[in-house]
Structures are given as C-alpha cells and as structure tokens.
Amino acid sequence: MTSAPISTAARMLPLRLPKVCVALAADNPSDMVSKAEALVRDNPLLEFRLDYIPQPASALPKIKRFLETHPSAVLIGTCRRAVNGGKFRGSVASQLEILSKAASAGCQLVDFELQSAEDAKRGTVERLRSKAAVILSYHDFRSTKKLDDVLQRMLPYGADFLKIVTTATSLSDNVTLMKFLERTSDKHSMVGLCMGEQGIISRVLGIRAGSVFTFASVSPGEETAPGQVTARELRDIYRVDHVDAATRVYGVAGDPVSHSLSPLIMNAAFRRENVNGVYLALHAKSLDDLLACVRDIPIHGLSVTMPFKQSILKHLDNTDAHTAKMGACNTVVRAQDGKLYGFNTDTAGVVRPLEQRITIEGAKILVIGAGGAARAAVFGLKERGAEVYIMNRTPAPAQSLARSARARYVRRPDLRKHKFDVIINATPVGMGNSKESPLKPEELECKVLFEMIYSPVETKLVATARAKGIQIIPGLEMFVHQAARQFEIWTGKPAPLEEMHRILTTAAQASPRKTVQLDL
Ligand code: NAP
C-alpha cells in the first residue's frame, strides 16, 4: 500500500482547522442539520455522525444545501460501523459508498475506521482521499494501550489524519496518550484523546500535546462518546483555545468529583485575574495514580478532597504548622523545585466570613459536630483567641477534639446555661431533603448562625435562625472563602471573591440538588 501524493490543500488543512469539533448526533437529517445551523457560527468544525440516522444517505442532500449556505463550515462525515463502536449496521462497502457520497456532498473530511480499511480492498483509502481528506480512526472502548502498534497499523494507508481515541481507566492513561501525541505529532497529523470521566485531562490538554483538534458534544446528554464535554464548556470554562505550553494545570482530586462545581469557579477566577491556568476535575481512584500525574503532567496545584485529605500528608515534602496540627490537607502547591507543599484552607473558610462580622478574639462560639469540618473550625477559631465549645452526638470524638485543641466540651442538656455569640453547625443534619435540625428553636441562642450545609441554602436551622432575627452565614460562603485562599496560595494574587461567589450561587441554584458537589 502506497500513499497518494498529498495536495497542498490537504497539507494546509490541519493548520486552518478549528481546535474544537462538535459531534452532531440525531436520528433524522432535519434535526441534525438544525443543530448544525444553531452551532456553526461559533463552531465551524462539525462532525456529522451519519451512522445515527437509519438511512444515512438521506442526510446528504441537506448537508449539501447546508454547505452552500455556510461556505466557511468544515464538515467531517462519519458513518461508524457498529462493530467499531458506531451505529451503522451495513457492510464496509456500503460504508464506503456513504462516505464517498458525503465527500461529493461537500464534506471536506471523512472518518474511516482502521478496521474498515483493513477489511477493504487495496487502494480504498487512496480512492477516498481523492475526494476528501481522510481521518483514519481507531477507538479503544476499554483501555489505553499499544498505541504505537495501532500507529504502525495505520501508517501504510497514508491517511491525512490519524485519530486514536482510547479509554482512560486511570488519570495516568491521559499521560500515556499525551506523551504518545507529543512523540508522534511532529511527523503525522494526529488527533487523540481519552474517553471516560477520567479522560478530561486529555480532552483539555490534548491539543497542547499535539492533537490537531479535539471533540465536544452539543449539550449535556448529547454525547457521542463517554466523557465528552460540551463545546461551550471546553471554550468558556476550560478555555482550550488559550491553553499553551505555559498554561499551569490545577485540579480537584478526589473520588467522586464528577459533579464538582470547583472547575466552574476556579477557572472563572483564573480568567478574571488573567492567570494562565486551567483547573480540572481529577477523578483519582488511588493516591499513586494521582501523584504520578502531579509529577508527569506536571500539575501545579491541587484541591484535595475525600478520601485523600489525610492520606496525602505523608507524600508531601512540607506542610505548614497549622495543617500538620489539623492532620488534614486540602490544598497542595508544587513549588518550582518540584517539591509538594500542603496547606489547609478549610479554616480560612470558617474564619474569614466570621471576622467580617464579629471580633473573633474572646467570642464565645459553639461548634456542633466533631468531624473534619468541625476540626477545621475549632482549631482555626482557637488560634484566633475564641472561647470554643464543642457539642456532638457522640461524646468521645468531641471530648478528644476539645482536649487536643484546648477547647471545651459541652453536653446538650447543659446548652441552656450558655449564651453564645456564634453557633456553627458542622454536622450534616438538615442536608438535602431532610427537615431535621441539630438544635431545637429554644436551644438556638446566639447572634450569628454559621450553617456549613450549602444544599439546601435554607435548612430548617437557617429558617429558625431567620425567624429569630439571628444573622446567618451560609455554607456557600465557607466554600468560596476556602477556594479563594487556595487561589491565593497558587497564584500569589488576591482572589476575585465576589465573582467566585456570584458564579457559585448561580450554579448551585441552577443545578438539581442531587448533582451539586462542592469539594470539602
Ligand atoms: P464528618 O467528618 O463525617 O463529621 C460529621 C459530624 O456530624 C460528626 O461529628 C457526626 O457525629 C455528626 N453527625 C452526623 N450525623 C449526625 C446526626 N444525624 N445527628 C447528629 N450529629 C450527626 O463530616 P464533615 O466533613 O465534618 O462535614 C460536616 C458537614 O459540614 C457536612 O454537612 C458538610 O457538607 C459540611 N461542610 C461544608 C463545608 C462548606 O464549605 N460549606 C465544608 C466542609 C464541610 P458523630 O461523631 O456522632 O458521628
């Protein structure tokens, strides 16, 4: 098999292609073209997934008309066979016929699977290339491996673009794919990414690694591949058009993190403050996997969440005294020398909103709960000179926390003997659809109520406090302040607090309650 001479137009094509290709799927030609009409202004590179249409050829006249009215659009015609992960049940010969007609209708590129090429007659790819640029594609729906073997199978066909899409089952699979792109993209026009929730790194950073473009979906629910994000998210949140060699990579690492709102507010903060950074949700199933990525990508900063807040500590080169005392780290920064430093900004999430309202020194503060969030509050407030009391459903952890922080333990029946300046709810009581409250109305005697729960915003405890005229600090404010402190540690700049708060509040109100996740 020899490759046909490459025309100048084909050689120039990778240079003038937009970086994001939106994959269009619909079960009839009219809907598909309507979607294209709605998208083409902002997204001139569109993939028509003809295999989603029961009679794929029926879409071609509409595609032709679409191109006549949108001459600057660049279209990829794809008719993926079911055996290769698509929906087309016809033979390779009929697939070729459709792709050839798609090229005649004006599609400048057609996607042809490697497996189809291997089944087809000699010279098939060359013939197809005489009509349109050919993307020779390979999809692995299970893993990321043997990339060089796949490349060797592809090379003899002399296609214009070599597309290798795999599945990330770990964060490190993204590194494997991106290193492969870095090695191969100076010789070939590569398109590569990892599918799956863990593939987000390669979807955002793949272009920097050498992928000519990447794929995006039209809207949530219209994905043509697992883990695909929308074109709007890629552009507006992750700013893929601006990711370059100098862009620093940050992320929230945990399990789970898929519904995290952190990428939304952190990327907005980077944009607002002109920080050349991008922030990703890193679904890490193991600490080893996460740490390998921090080293290899490299990642410059992490928000650390469940279940790694304690276990990451022994892998850090240093932590500040406060974090060491707390025994939990929620923020990692990678210094210029590659060393990892740990901090805990949960405390800032409690202290900063409070100090905007009261003088913490000498204030009498009740913390309900003795878990991680309570711990951050108790240590932070003690350091600021508050008189801290702890109450908890189970006495032992509260007594132990009181001892280690030099705070006081209080039993619930004794609450009425006290008048507090502030009461902090650091339990999940009242979260979600629960109508419970950790305190009875007559037990809620204070000037300020700090409700750590953020969903719903109006818990039963908050409603009771409001009715009693008590000032309220909502859970979202805590989250924004701890995130703002992370931003400051990473960038050395003041965080755009108001912007972060506005974006978070809007997103939290817009998201269905169950899918909102903050990284605590
Ligand atoms: P955690 O480590 O699991 O601790 C939970 C605490 O709540 C424990 O002291 C537990 O008492 C108590 N508790 C649990 N269920 C209870 C119940 N039904 N009745 C009475 N007490 C109960 O959790 P965490 O990480 O500290 O988080 C606590 C809350 O704070 C959560 O709602 C979380 O969403 C919120 N939070 C918010 C932010 C923010 O940014 N807004 C940040 C961190 C946490 P036992 O010892 O008796 O089990």
Side-chain angles (χ1 to χ4, degrees), residues 8 26 86 99 120 149 197 205 237 278 287 307 343 348 354 386 388 395 465 505:
T8 310
L99 292 181
D149 292 354
E197 188 204 335
L205 303 181
I237 298 179
V278 64
L287 205 48
F343 298 89
L354 263 180
V388 181
T505 311

Side-chain angles (χ1 to χ4, degrees), residues 369-373 392-394 397 426-429 431 452-453 475 478-479 520:
N392 191 43
R393 175 178 62 180
T394 316
T427 75
V429 183
M431 220 164 112
M452 285 196 180
I453 292 172
M478 172 174 178
F479 181 74
L520 314 168

Side-chain angles (χ1 to χ4, degrees), residues 306 309-310 346 349-350 368-376 390-398 401 412 425-431 436-438 450-455 474-483 504 518-520:
M306 292 272 287
K309 277 187 173 185
Q310 282 89 28
D346 286 336
V350 178
I368 313 172
R375 210 175 156 77
I390 307 166
M391 185 192 88
N392 191 43
R393 175 178 62 180
T394 316
L401 175 57
R412 188 160 178 176
N425 178 29
T427 75
V429 183
M431 220 164 112
E436 288 173 35
S437 168
F450 196 137
E451 172 60 283
M452 285 196 180
I453 292 172
Y454 56 84
S455 177
L476 286 180
E477 208 172 312
M478 172 174 178
F479 181 74
V480 167
H481 277 277
Q482 66 77 30
L504 185 63
L518 304 182
D519 310 301
L520 314 168

